[in-house]
Amino acid sequence: GINTVLIDMGDGVQYDSHPELAIPGCWTKAEFRAELARIRALGLTPLPKFNFSACHNAFMKEHAYTVGTDHYNQVCKDLMEEVGNAVYREMKEYGCTYWLAPAMNIHRNPLCGRNFEYFSEDPLIAGKSAAALVRGVQSEGMGSTIKHFAVNSRENQRKRCDSIVSDRALREIYLRGFEICIKKAKPWALMTSYNLINGVQASANWE
């Protein structure tokens, strides 16, 4: 029978302790917890549904974690696993299953709009850093989604661009970090990039 209940979360979840920051259409954290508890008490599984176009800046406002480049600068696997575990605890509190991170593309061009999310220009550092975060998140049953696979080196027109790259550079630089992370941490999911790779859409490239 049906054992999952879809919760219409409207515009997301926001602070309880800061009414001056209230956003119309958002649940408070206390309301969200109470609803999750009510549904679970009935032996059902709650499945939150969010209006992401509206709640992007309202949902999960509790903690701000340092960006990927700063994680790399820590050069501390244990600390990064602790960060991942903190993310796991917050995911559990909000009823999330997958973390759409970490992003682990290579710092190829300093003008790339999302370099702050990425760890390094070194695929070894990117792979090991991502693996540590993934292990932390997945230590107790939540999932990580590593991204953007692969060769996502720009944000401007990224749905139209074609990343032209040799086989050697592709395997030694752009794919190597993903390979390391998958072997060391076994992330639950992988998000493909929008761009083409040597003329083939990343999500449809069997090579």
Side-chain angles (χ1 to χ4, degrees):
I2 298 173
N3 62 358
T4 301
V5 176
L6 191 66
I7 309 174
D8 186 354
M9 295 303 299
D11 292 347
V13 179
Q14 62 184 334
Y15 291 111
D16 287 338
S17 55
H18 297 279
E20 71 278 9
L21 299 178
I23 301 173
C26 287
W27 291 51
T28 67
K29 192 172 175 181
E31 290 171 338
F32 185 40
R33 282 178 171 169
E35 183 66 4
L36 291 178
R38 184 185 71 82
I39 291 171
R40 287 170 178 154
L42 297 173
L44 301 173
T45 301
L47 181 62
K49 174 182 178 294
F50 295 96
N51 174 9
F52 282 102
S53 63
C55 78
H56 185 70
N57 293 317
F59 180 56
M60 294 185 76
K61 288 254 185 175
E62 289 297 326
H63 297 94
Y65 299 100
T66 54
V67 297
T69 303
D70 187 57
H71 286 159
Y72 145 63
N73 287 330
Q74 305 285 353
V75 196
C76 178
K77 179 180 69 175
D78 293 338
L79 178 60
M80 293 180 67
E81 286 194 28
E82 287 183 25
V83 172
N85 196 253
V87 171
Y88 150 76
R89 292 193 297 272
E90 192 159 38
M91 289 171 64
K92 182 178 180 181
E93 185 173 347
Y94 279 102
C96 298
T97 303
Y98 279 89
W99 186 40
L100 301 185
M104 47 184 306
N105 293 106
I106 298 299
H107 287 179
R108 179 181 180 273
N109 186 321
L111 298 180
C112 179
R114 293 176 73 170
N115 273 352
F116 64 92
E117 292 185 60
Y118 308 147
F119 298 106
S120 174
E121 60 188 11
D122 185 328
L124 180 63
I125 291 173
K128 289 187 173 182
S129 299
L133 281 174
V134 169
R135 281 194 299 269
V137 171
Q138 297 187 174
S139 59
E140 298 185 56
M142 301 299 182
S144 286
T145 306
I146 59 175
K147 62 183 183 181
H148 306 88
F149 188 79
V151 203
N152 185 81
S153 299
R154 58 184 286 182
E155 289 304 302
N156 183 38
Q157 299 292 324
R158 66 175 180 157
K159 294 184 180 182
R160 300 180 182 180
C161 68
D162 187 357
S163 298
I164 306 299
V165 58
S166 70
D167 285 348
R168 181 176 180 180
L170 185 64
R171 299 191 183 281
E172 292 185 3
I173 300 174
Y174 297 100
L175 301 183
R176 180 63 173 151
F178 288 95
E179 178 185 6
I180 291 169
C181 181
I182 290 169
K183 287 182 175 179
K184 290 184 174 292
K186 296 180 174 58
W188 285 16
L190 180 147
M191 183 189 300
T192 57
S193 55
Y194 285 114
N195 55 279
L196 284 73
I197 302 173
N198 294 331
V200 181
Q201 205 74 45
S203 60
N205 193 327
W206 291 98
E207 294 184 7

